[in-house]
Amino acid sequence: MAPPEPAGQVQQQGGGGGGGGGGGGGGGGFSQMITGVIRMAVFWYFASKFFSPKRPSGSDPAILISNIFQKSEPLDMWLYVSEQEKFNDFGNEAALFWHESNIPYAVWGPESTRSLSLKYYPSEAVKHNGSVYAHVFFARSGYPADPNDPEYQPLAAFGRTHPIVTYFPKSRVDKRKSLLGSKGSDEGGTVTEVVDETQGDSKDDKPVEWVSYWKPNITINLVDDFTRYSHNAVPPNIAPYLNVEPSTGNYFPSIFFNEFWLLRDKFIPINETVTELQLNLEVGLISMTKWQLFLQIDQSFQIHRSYGSMLEGEADELKRVFLEGNPILLAITMVVSLLHSVFDFLAFKNDIQFWNKNKSMEGLSAKSVIVSFACQLIVFLYLLDNDTSWMILASSGIGCCIEFWKIGKAMHIEIDRSGRIPLLKFRDRDSYAQNKTKEYDDIAMKYLSYVLFFLVICSSIYSLMYERHKSWYSWILSSLTSCVYMFGFIMMCPQLFINYKLKSVAHLPWRQMTYKFLNTIIDDLFAFVIKMPTLHRLSVFRDDIIFLIYVYQKWIYPVDKKRVNEFGFGGEDDQVADGAEVTATKEEEKKTN
């Protein structure tokens, strides 16, 4: 067996096509998230441009700072790799991993982009959670970057340090287990989940273990910036990255380590078994606008995570959509996402308007309203138990409240205070109980409930025997939610049965249903982009089938002018009202004449 290579030694693999954009080789997601992130990024960018901080009183507005280097000025570059954050050992040839000469600054062309692919052999310290840093230095061609060199010029050289190793919480074994204690299920494999790095391990007393990860791509971008900034009014989003030379007050070119497209799943875990690590290096230019856009989008992701509207890892999923998605499809997705918001608002508005003005329950299934609330509550608890994004939780919670409000419009809700604990008492409305609607609703619910209970029992037994769960409560929620998602369309069938027996669909809120159907079509597209439980993704297709049946019923059943509509009025009443209005108008004209 050949002896291992010395620590820190590299093996070059050629000078072409390595890093590729900080994750250009880094491989390749929610409609509202996409629009929200981009909207916030653009807002912050233009806000930083037009709303700079006010100058202190007494400052000289004539003092402007500018870039020390000129356009197309040739630069030499040195990249050193060491395990120390501060680097002064310029004479160590083993630490010098990459050297390039005559890189024209701010010249857009192939001569300004260089790349290199090599292998890094970690030391024992690095294998045991040690740190590794990349130290990059630029200098005018012919000038050294070493401060100890006699020919060194402070105004001719600049540099920046960046960590190549980052740390994430260690993956732990999922606590889900077979509730029946079956040995066979325990041997079926270990399920792991990653601890959220923004949350502590609140449920365990053990501290969170951190594991070091290697960044395989390092992209060094020089910002093409020759802006003359006012001395005391540098934009706040640029000031932290501006490297100002103290003697002249001017600034060096900004060095940006571009990791925007470097996704987390491309990071390589470092442990005792790792003998070599791939490192792709690239140096090139980046425009001022693109640089600021990357910074603002990353800041937007942090804001979303701090508000709880984005979980850890969702930013990478969103980036993956842009990396792997078709540009035309992405443009269509952006437009459709805006339409989704419009249709969602219109459906909500018409749903509230329908039930708020509804005076009759004739032709409407009251039991379906109750069951709809129960299903919405189960789904909300299931999403809460599965650590879903707060944006999905908020939408589900609001829907749960609306469904309970509908019960109050479909039935009489009274508080029974006869016992020690006040209870809610539900009573049918007269318009529902005194006609055939209640009879047909009871018949449909009776037979459909038999089918649903049978499916619930079978699904629950299967889940208990062959699936893992965190607790009995989690199993109950998972079983009920599975039935809501897979068989929930059965509870929408009573309304179809009532429509069939009454041979009419005039009592239905068609405007609200149309907007919901349009939203469902959009959900079909985004269900596989947004991070959510798999069952929640599959549920979006059930509404499509039910609505198509509603459309078929609307086509085969003619409009009944005598039947009361959703606002408590009939078609004949409208004709009588129109006739009375015309008569009153004629009488008024006679009096005027």
Side-chain angles (χ1 to χ4, degrees), residues 450-463:
Y450 293 158
V451 177
L452 183 61
F453 289 153
F454 173 75
L455 295 174
V456 168
I457 293 173
C458 293
S459 176
S460 301
I461 294 176
Y462 176 85
S463 177

Side-chain angles (χ1 to χ4, degrees), residues 383-452:
L383 295 175
L384 188 63
D385 188 57
N386 281 270
D387 298 328
T388 312
S389 171
W390 280 105
M391 194 169 293
I392 300 294
L393 280 176
S395 176
S396 180
I398 293 175
C400 195
C401 296
I402 293 176
E403 293 298 331
F404 183 79
W405 173 77
K406 289 181 184 178
I407 297 178
K409 304 299 292 185
M411 307 181 71
H412 291 290
I413 302 179
E414 302 172 351
I415 300 178
D416 185 6
R417 303 181 184 275
S418 59
R420 293 184 178 181
I421 301 176
L423 299 175
L424 294 179
K425 184 178 180 180
F426 299 91
R427 181 169 56 86
D428 294 331
R429 292 186 178 271
D430 295 338
S431 60
Y432 171 78
Q434 295 178 359
N435 55 59
K436 292 292 185 178
T437 303
K438 178 176 173 57
E439 177 184 347
Y440 298 149
D441 199 9
D442 291 340
I443 295 175
M445 272 296 179
K446 177 182 177 181
Y447 294 105
L448 289 175
S449 61
Y450 293 158
V451 177
L452 183 61

Side-chain angles (χ1 to χ4, degrees), residues 42-54 233-237:
V42 174
F43 169 78
W44 277 103
Y45 174 73
F46 285 103
S48 64
K49 284 285 186 181
F50 296 105
F51 299 98
S52 300
K54 295 182 179 180
V234 178
N237 58 327

Side-chain angles (χ1 to χ4, degrees), residues 177-180 182 185 454-469 475 478-479 482-483 486-487 535:
K177 59 183 182 297
S178 175
L179 299 179
L180 297 179
S182 173
S185 62
F454 173 75
L455 295 174
V456 168
I457 293 173
C458 293
S459 176
S460 301
I461 294 176
Y462 176 85
S463 177
L464 184 63
M465 293 179 61
Y466 297 104
E467 296 179 356
R468 298 170 181 265
H469 304 279
W475 166 69
S478 177
S479 301
S482 300
C483 296
M486 291 187 292
F487 316 122
L535 293 176

Side-chain angles (χ1 to χ4, degrees), residues 277-294:
L277 295 165
Q278 184 72 24
L279 183 60
N280 302 315
L281 303 172
E282 182 177 342
V283 60
L285 287 174
I286 187 172
S287 65
M288 186 69 173
T289 302
K290 188 176 181 180
W291 175 48
Q292 289 300 295
L293 185 61
F294 283 170

Side-chain angles (χ1 to χ4, degrees), residues 68-69 137-140 143-159 243-248 250-253:
I68 297 176
F69 286 70
F137 299 93
F138 289 91
R140 288 190 175 95
Y143 289 88
D146 184 4
N148 298 321
D149 192 289
E151 299 182 359
Y152 174 77
Q153 296 290 335
L155 297 180
F158 59 98
N243 184 8
V244 179
E245 202 281 321
S247 63
T248 62
N250 294 323
Y251 61 90
F252 292 102

